[in-house]
């Protein structure tokens, strides 16, 4: 599954970077089902009329009783069971049933059930959800639709089942829909049965699948065939949107083929439909053969599509398709390996996306996201990414950004250590051994150890089973030697309660003054001395070549300065991205002073790589978030201009014929930062002029600049412009246009309009997943930093009525930032049981650490940074 956008925007309040938090549902209920009565297949019939409030259905489940029992349980939540009968062959078995917990039904047999095969038949009715979870309905364009989102445990709200990932069985699905509606599920249609008022779709039986990757969609759907895959498939849209499906249909086959090549086996299911859903919490979901996407991700207008949309589309498709093998074909045994499911899909998807669409530099984006995970991991509130998960846990909270980004980075590090082909052989042996079944993380490590002949397992465990990350120090010794040492990396002033040791695959790059070499070592002890091959003297050393290691690093301050000044010589572009991320960590860790930090950044102003400049803006964001108060806004604006203007001059205000995608991806960020934080009147006016053109005649502005143009035009916008953008948002036919206008509504800075915008976020015709955009966007301005927390605490009840309950776990993030006063208020607010959901305390602990780090850093280094920034202004 993929992170919803609002989670990303809430996470903007995290200290160092916008983090991509995952989207997982709440594993609620009373523990796990017993395994003495196992389902072996399920036949499911559902009557889905999306125009109605409820639905009805029947389930016929084949059971294998393995030991004599007189009762068993299955999952069923908020369903009314009209009948539940148990048969042994043709003989009815006397039973009673009752709803034992909100999510489970217990069947009692009058006499103990002898081992053997049984059939359980259940008729039931239920209500569609209106919160875009489980089985839900929605209206759009005057038509009604039904969609599903089951991960992790919401299939039980649609039909009775054994709703845990280890129960993998064939499902035979039959859907009856009103005439004129069409239906999609996980497999090809075997036949359709027309009747006077309805059409019945009988789908082929699935291979063994867990319930959480089943999917259904019904309504007046449109289908655009995807040509060139190894199986048939379509882009499926709501009525009137199929014209926006062409780009996805083009992009999918090469990604599918790339994955088939890597896994060395064909795609495992009989068809692949991708479905664009207007109301959807995650970005996308890997249902077997029926992947669902949020519509503004999947559907693009060829005339107004931005490079960033295509990059996201490539990334999302590759991630969800990678799950078809890793997650769907081989499924985690239980949710405690959810991190592996997601980390692998993230790693694999980005690898294939980079291979098929290298222009989007996905690997660089990953490295930037990894910096965020490393920041979280540098605090005591971090936890091991692999840890026990109970059925009571909120999996949204359990599978945090560490699961995705740290997990992915660690897999990447071990791929480099073992060698990509060896790693691939291990992965494919693992898939072969567990195909159609379940596995645990340990199964993958042992497959990798077997394929490589190295003890991958014990090294991986040091990164997975303990929280935190190491700091590697490289000290040059005479005679071409280097001393490497490790200790836990923690932000300044924090002492670890216990010692930790990692087995770290390290790549060193160094030069003897004439040629650059790379050497790989495993640092398994506190320290080791390495003789650098072929170097009698060492001119420079970089202790994270690639950069492929999940660790922070430091060298002497002279060497650090030398690397910064000679970055283009000593480091590849992606290593420079890593270098800048590492600098922020050294600042947070108290290993670099604030004035040194702000002095080093402009050295990258002339860097030729657009990706490095994009990362440089992450570093500027650190300066802004931590140090810039209102009195420093002007000196900071000058600093931003000095640091970024050279890039804008080099890459240009407007798109040039034949320029790389990386430049088109960078330009809107450059324009936005220079206009907003750099207060550059020329850039602001330019953005404003683009916005006017786009509003007057859409299709005449470089699509990559539309979003930023609308946002920057709003900064000085008046009531009339606000009303215009609101109207455009409400009437947008293209999903991305809707998102752009919504984003712009959060940029109006006039206090009266800002207040109106905040009201609108809950009172306007926004979809549930859109309500966070305006408050979180407003907070990017120093004047409105208080808005998200204030808005959340004053409207908690209303917000809770609009979003699935488990997503409330993210609400503590609204108190992120640098204000301990706000944090204290939040602690009081969340002490009230009415404001608590499962897992909230872990989020609050993370936010608390983040705020304290930020406030501490401001206090410690603020004077130095302030002196540097104001001096810069004075010297001009
Ligand atoms: Zn996923």
């Amino acid at each position: 599954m993929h992170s919803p956008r609002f989670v990303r925007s809430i996470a903007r309040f995290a200290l160092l970077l916008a983090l991509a938090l995952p989207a997982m549902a709440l594993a609620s209920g009373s523990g796990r089902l017993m395994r003495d009565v196992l389902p072996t297949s399920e036949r499911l019939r559902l009557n889905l009329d999306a125009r109605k409030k409820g639905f009805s259905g029947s389930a016929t489940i084949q059971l294998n009783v393995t030991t004599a029992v007189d009762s068993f349980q299955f999952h069923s939540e908020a369903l009314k069971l009209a009948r539940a009968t148990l048969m042994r062959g043709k003989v009815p078995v006397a039973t009673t049933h009752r709803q034992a917990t909100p999510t489970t039904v217990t069947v009692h047999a009058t006499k103990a059930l002898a081992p053997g095969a049984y059939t359980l038949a259940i008729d039931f009715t239920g209500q569609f959800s209106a919160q875009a979870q489980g089985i839900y309905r929605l209206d759009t364009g005057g038509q009604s639709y039904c969609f599903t989102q089951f991960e992790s445990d919401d299939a039980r709200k649609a039909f009775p089942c054994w709703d845990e990932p280890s129960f993998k069985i064939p499902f035979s699905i039959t859907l009856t829909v009103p005439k004129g509606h069409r239906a999609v599920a996980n497999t090809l249609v075997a036949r359709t049965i027309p009747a006077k008022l309805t059409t019945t779709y009988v789908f082929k039986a699935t291979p063994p699948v867990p319930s959480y990757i089943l999917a259904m969609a019904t309504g007046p759907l449109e289908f655009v065939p995807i040509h060139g895959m190894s199986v048939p498939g379509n882009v499926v849209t709501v009525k009137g949107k199929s014209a926006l499906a062409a780009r996805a249909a083009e992009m999918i086959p090469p990604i599918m083929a790339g994955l088939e090549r890597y896994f060395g086996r064909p795609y495992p299911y009989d068809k692949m439909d991708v479905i664009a859903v207007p109301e959807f919490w995650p970005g996308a979901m890997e249902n077997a053969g029926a992947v669902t996407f949020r519509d503004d991700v999947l559907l693009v207008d060829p005339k107004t599509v931005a490079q960033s949309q295509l990059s996201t589309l490539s990334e999302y498709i590759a991630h969800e398709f990678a799950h078809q093998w890793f997650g769907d074909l081989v499924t985690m045994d239980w949710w405690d390996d959810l991190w592996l499911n997601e980390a692998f899909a993230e790693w694999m998807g980005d690898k294939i996306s980079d291979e098929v669409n290298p222009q989007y530099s996905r690997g660089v984006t990953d490295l930037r996201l990894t910096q965020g995970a490393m920041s979280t991991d540098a605090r005591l509130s971090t936890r091991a990414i692999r840890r026990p998960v109970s059925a009571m846990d909120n999996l949204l909270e359990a599978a945090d950004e560490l699961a995705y980004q740290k997990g992915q980075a660690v897999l990447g590090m071990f791929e480099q250590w073992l060698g990509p082909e060896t790693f691939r052989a291990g992965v494919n042996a693992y898939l072969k051994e567990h195909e159609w079944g379940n596995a645990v993380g340990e199964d993958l490590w042992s497959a990798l150890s077997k394929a490589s002949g190295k003890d991958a397992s014990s090294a991986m465990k040091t990164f997975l089973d303990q929280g935190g990350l190491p700091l590697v120090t490289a000290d040059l010794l005479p005679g071409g030697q280097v001393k490497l040492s490790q200790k836990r990396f923690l932000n300044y002033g924090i002492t670890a309660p216990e010692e930790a040791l990692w087995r770290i695959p390290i790549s060193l790059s160094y030069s003897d003054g004439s040629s650059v070499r790379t050497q790989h070592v495993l640092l398994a002890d506190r320290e080791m001395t390495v003789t650098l091959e072929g170097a009698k003297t060492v001119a420079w050393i970089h202790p994270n070549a690639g950069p492929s290691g999940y660790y922070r690093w430091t060298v002497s301050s002279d060497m650090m300065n030398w690397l910064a000044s000679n970055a283009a010589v000593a480091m590849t572009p992606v290593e420079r991205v890593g270098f800048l991320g590492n600098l922020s960590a050294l600042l947070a860790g108290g290993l670099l002073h604030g004035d040194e930090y702000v002095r080093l950044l402009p050295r990258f102003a002339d860097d030729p790589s657009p990706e490095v400049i994009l990362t440089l803006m992450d570093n500027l964001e650190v300066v802004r978030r931590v140090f810039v108060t209102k009195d420093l806004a002007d000196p900071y604006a000058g600093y931003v201009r000095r640091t970024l203007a050279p890039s804008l001059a080099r890459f240009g205000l407007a798109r040039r014929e034949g320029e790389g995608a990386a430049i088109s991806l960078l330009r809107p960020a450059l324009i936005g930062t220079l206009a907003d934080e750099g207060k550059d009147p020329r850039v602001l006016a330019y953005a404003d002029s683009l916005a006017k053109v786009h509003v007057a005649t859409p299709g005449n502005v470089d699509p990559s600049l539309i979003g930023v143009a609308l946002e920057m035009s709003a900064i000085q916008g008046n009531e009339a412009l606000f009303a215009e953008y609101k109207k455009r948002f409400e009437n947008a036919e293209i999903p991305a246009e809707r998102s752009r206008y919504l984003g712009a509504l959060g940029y109006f800075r006039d206090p009266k309009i800002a207040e109106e915008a905040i009201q609108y976020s809950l009172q306007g015709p926004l979809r549930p997943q859109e309500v966070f955009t305006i408050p979180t966007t407003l907070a990017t301005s120093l004047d409105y930093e208080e808005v998200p927390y204030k808005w959340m605490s004053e409207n908690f009840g209303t917000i809770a009525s609009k979003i699935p309950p488990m997503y409330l776990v993210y609400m503590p993030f609204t108190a992120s930032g640098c204000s301990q006063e706000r944090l204290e208020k939040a602690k009081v607010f969340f002490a009230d049981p009415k404001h608590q959901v499962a897992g909230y305390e872990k989020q609050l602990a993370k936010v608390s650490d983040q705020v304290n780090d930020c406030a501490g850093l401001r206090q410690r280094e603020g004077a130095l940074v302030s002196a540097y920034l104001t001096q810069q202004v004075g010297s001009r």
Side-chain angles (χ1 to χ4, degrees):
M1 196 149 54
H2 242 98
S3 325
R5 177 170 300 160
F6 89 89
V7 174
R8 292 179 193 236
S9 61
I10 287 176
R12 276 214 298 256
F13 294 88
L15 171 62
L16 288 174
L17 269 183
L19 308 177
L21 292 183
M24 280 305 131
L26 179 67
S28 60
S30 61
R32 296 166 68 169
L33 296 178
M34 301 296 286
R35 305 196 64 95
D36 37 22
V37 175
L38 301 171
T40 55
S41 70
E42 179 160 350
R43 182 171 292 279
L44 192 60
R45 294 170 180 279
L46 289 170
N47 299 306
L48 299 178
D49 184 344
R51 300 165 306 185
K52 295 189 174 154
K53 285 204 162 70
F55 59 93
S56 62
S58 65
T60 309
I61 309 169
Q62 301 304 321
L63 300 175
N64 179 23
V65 176
T66 58
T67 45
V69 286
D70 52 17
S71 73
F72 62 89
Q73 289 195 319
F74 58 85
H75 286 117
S76 173
E77 182 174 356
L79 296 173
K80 244 194 212 131
L81 306 194
R83 177 183 73 100
T85 55
L86 190 66
M87 307 278 283
R88 181 158 202 199
K90 295 215 159 76
V91 185
V93 181
T95 57
T96 57
H97 68 272
R98 66 182 178 89
Q99 190 81 36
T101 73
T103 63
T104 52
V105 168
T106 301
V107 176
H108 282 280
T110 322
K111 281 197 323 206
L113 302 172
Y118 293 77
T119 305
L120 177 65
I122 305 166
D123 295 335
F124 57 92
T125 55
Q127 300 291 307
F128 289 117
S129 162
Q131 287 172 312
Q133 64 167 157
I135 187 162
Y136 61 100
R137 62 169 306 287
L138 58 89
D139 298 312
T140 182
Q143 304 285 338
S144 302
Y145 300 87
C146 161
F147 295 103
T148 59
Q149 167 57 29
F150 291 151
E151 190 177 13
S152 58
D153 63 357
D154 284 337
R156 64 191 70 172
K157 293 176 180 162
F159 48 87
C161 56
W162 270 249
D163 196 13
E164 290 175 11
S166 63
F167 296 106
K168 288 182 79 168
I169 57 171
F171 282 85
S172 302
I173 298 174
T174 298
L175 302 178
T176 298
V177 298
K179 202 145 215 97
H181 281 198
R182 294 183 68 179
V184 177
N186 302 82
T187 50
L188 288 168
V189 176
R191 61 181 199 282
T192 53
I193 307 165
K196 201 165 163 210
L197 297 172
T198 61
T199 310
T200 295
Y201 289 81
V202 181
F203 295 91
K204 293 187 174 176
T206 68
V209 289
S211 49
Y212 82 93
I213 53 170
L214 292 175
M216 298 149 206
T218 76
L221 301 166
E222 293 181 352
F223 292 71
V224 175
I226 305 169
H227 300 291
M229 288 192 298
S230 56
V231 293
N234 298 281
V235 181
V236 181
T237 76
V238 299
K239 194 171 183 177
K241 299 289 187 217
S242 54
L244 306 175
R247 203 61 200 257
E250 255 169 52
M251 207 182 253
I252 283 170
I255 292 175
M256 176 79 107
L259 288 162
E260 289 178 324
R261 267 197 310 278
Y262 186 88
F263 291 123
R265 56 189 299 150
Y267 165 75
Y269 303 98
D270 70 359
K271 60 96 179 172
M272 170 56 97
D273 291 324
V274 294
I275 307 165
V277 188
E279 285 182 24
F280 197 53
W281 281 97
M285 174 67 207
E286 68 265 24
N287 311 304
V291 176
T292 38
F293 289 78
R294 217 180 42 216
D295 64 352
D296 65 346
V297 172
L298 191 65
L299 302 181
V300 301
D301 169 36
K303 285 202 295 290
T304 56
V305 61
Q307 286 293 329
S308 58
Q309 285 178 268
L310 296 175
S311 166
T312 301
L313 182 58
S314 170
E315 175 214 338
Y316 277 43
I317 292 169
H319 175 107
E320 306 308 335
F321 280 39
H323 271 310
Q324 303 294 312
W325 288 263
F326 204 104
D328 294 1
L329 174 66
V330 178
T331 306
M332 70 208 132
D333 203 53
W334 179 245
W335 299 108
D336 44 10
D337 274 318
L338 176 60
W339 75 270
L340 177 60
N341 194 33
E342 292 307 338
F344 189 91
E346 198 74 358
W347 170 81
M348 182 80 256
D350 288 344
K351 187 181 171 77
I352 294 298
S353 180
D354 250 356
E355 183 185 303
V356 177
N357 297 306
Q359 68 273 29
Y360 303 131
S361 315
R362 202 39 227 174
V364 179
T365 308
D366 290 332
L367 190 53
R368 291 171 58 216
L369 292 172
T370 302
Q371 305 306 318
M374 286 173 146
S375 300
T376 303
D377 221 6
R379 303 186 180 118
L380 288 184
S381 52
T382 190
R383 284 176 295 167
I385 54 178
R386 189 158 57 149
R387 57 178 182 264
V389 171
S390 99
M392 305 292 287
D393 285 346
N394 188 338
L395 292 188
L396 261 181
E397 187 278 323
D400 53 13
E401 88 276 21
L402 290 177
Y404 283 69
Q405 260 70 48
K406 178 177 179 175
Q408 174 182 18
V410 169
L411 289 175
M413 173 167 70
F414 282 92
E415 186 205 18
Q416 287 310 306
W417 183 48
L418 301 177
E421 273 311 307
T422 307
F423 192 85
R424 175 170 172 254
V427 166
N428 290 341
Y430 161 89
L431 289 181
K432 180 77 207 137
E433 190 172 340
H434 303 282
E435 59 183 0
W436 308 115
N438 295 86
V440 295
E442 200 61 51
D443 295 322
L444 179 60
W445 323 149
S446 51
L448 291 170
S449 297
K450 209 165 154 189
S452 64
K454 285 186 190 171
D455 180 12
S457 192
S458 66
M460 288 189 101
K461 280 179 184 166
T462 66
F463 284 88
L464 304 175
D465 295 347
Q466 63 183 354
L469 80 170
L471 171 73
V472 172
T473 303
D475 291 310
L476 281 179
L477 304 173
Q481 289 195 315
V482 59
K483 189 180 97 180
L484 298 175
S485 54
Q486 63 160 304
K487 64 173 185 178
R488 182 169 178 181
F489 178 77
L490 285 164
N491 285 343
Y492 181 83
I494 306 171
T495 319
E498 67 241 10
E499 292 275 289
L501 195 67
W502 284 264
R503 296 170 67 84
I504 317 166
I506 290 177
S507 299
L508 302 164
S509 72
Y510 56 94
S511 167
D512 58 6
S514 55
S515 59
V516 179
R517 294 166 188 265
T518 307
Q519 191 168 330
H520 307 280
V521 296
L522 185 76
L523 176 59
D525 298 315
R526 299 247 161 255
E527 54 180 64
M528 74 190 287
T529 300
V530 177
T531 304
L532 297 172
E533 289 152 14
K536 289 245 160 19
T537 56
V538 178
W540 57 263
I541 185 161
H542 176 245
N544 193 0
S548 56
Y550 186 81
Y551 52 86
R552 296 303 192 184
W553 57 270
T554 185
V555 289
S556 71
S557 105
D558 284 351
M559 184 64 74
M560 197 62 87
N561 271 308
W562 190 91
L563 287 172
S565 305
N566 299 275
V569 178
M571 294 181 276
T572 62
V574 70
E575 285 169 345
R576 303 202 289 277
V577 167
F579 182 91
L580 283 168
N582 194 58
L583 272 190
S584 298
L586 298 181
L587 173 70
L591 299 165
L592 187 74
H593 280 299
D595 55 338
E596 294 175 77
Y597 183 79
V598 287
R599 193 171 290 131
L600 283 173
L601 300 186
R603 297 207 190 156
F604 290 83
D606 292 317
D607 198 289
S609 157
E611 289 93 344
V612 174
I613 300 301
L614 207 51
T615 312
L616 188 57
M617 281 188 269
D618 296 337
N619 294 61
L620 289 174
E621 178 70 3
V622 173
V623 178
R624 192 178 84 83
R625 289 269 170 222
V626 180
F627 299 112
V628 179
T629 46
K630 283 181 193 171
D631 52 323
L632 266 188
D634 284 333
Y636 175 69
Y639 176 71
V640 168
R641 289 196 299 274
R642 195 161 68 87
T643 311
L644 295 182
S647 300
L648 192 62
R650 205 160 60 250
F651 297 121
L653 276 168
R655 192 174 184 284
R656 291 169 189 162
E657 198 51 44
E659 74 179 14
I663 298 173
S664 308
L665 283 166
L666 167 69
R667 188 174 290 109
L670 264 181
I671 288 177
T673 308
L674 275 165
D676 190 2
E677 282 145 40
K679 301 184 182 182
D680 186 322
R682 189 180 67 111
V683 180
L684 202 53
Y686 172 69
D688 196 44
S689 70
L690 294 183
K692 288 201 169 74
V693 174
H694 180 68
V695 171
T697 50
N700 288 318
V701 168
D702 172 4
S704 292
L705 299 183
I706 297 170
V708 73
L710 294 175
E711 289 168 3
M712 294 305 108
S713 69
I715 286 182
Q716 295 170 322
N718 59 16
E719 279 281 358
L721 194 71
F722 183 74
E724 176 71 31
Y725 283 9
K726 217 163 64 173
K727 195 177 82 197
R728 300 259 173 171
F729 160 72
E730 289 171 14
N731 298 330
E733 290 285 330
I734 299 161
E737 278 288 281
R738 181 179 168 92
S739 304
R740 283 168 182 156
Y741 280 106
L742 178 63
L745 291 178
Y747 272 90
F748 285 83
R749 302 277 166 83
D750 178 294
K752 206 170 135 260
I753 306 176
E755 186 50 44
E756 208 181 314
I758 295 166
Q759 301 293 331
Y760 186 70
S761 69
L762 289 173
Q763 289 159 11
L766 277 71
R767 292 176 182 151
Q769 76 267 21
E770 293 172 332
V771 302
F772 297 90
T773 305
I774 291 173
T776 53
T777 308
L778 258 175
T780 57
S781 157
L782 284 172
D783 290 332
Y784 297 108
E785 279 183 338
E786 294 296 329
V787 165
Y789 175 73
K790 192 165 172 287
W791 170 83
M792 183 283 300
S793 56
E794 287 171 359
N795 299 289
F796 189 85
T798 313
I799 296 167
S801 72
K802 286 179 183 274
I803 72 175
M806 62 273 193
Y807 282 88
L808 290 170
V809 77
Y810 290 128
M811 294 307 103
F813 271 104
T814 56
S816 301
C818 239
S819 164
Q820 284 168 318
E821 199 188 323
R822 186 168 58 225
L823 174 66
E824 289 314 312
K825 281 193 226 162
K827 284 182 178 167
V828 173
F829 181 84
F830 287 107
D832 182 342
K834 286 204 302 289
H835 301 144
Q836 297 172 351
V837 294
Y840 85 97
E841 66 276 54
K842 303 282 176 9
Q843 298 300 324
L844 193 58
K846 281 187 193 172
V847 170
S848 178
D849 272 6
Q850 181 275 314
V851 172
N852 289 331
D853 279 355
C854 185
L857 184 53
R858 180 181 281 184
Q859 200 181 15
R860 197 166 74 242
E861 303 290 341
L864 288 173
V865 172
S866 160
Y868 177 85
L869 292 179
T870 42
Q871 219 174 9
Q872 288 300 303
V873 172
S875 70
R876 286 183 139 214

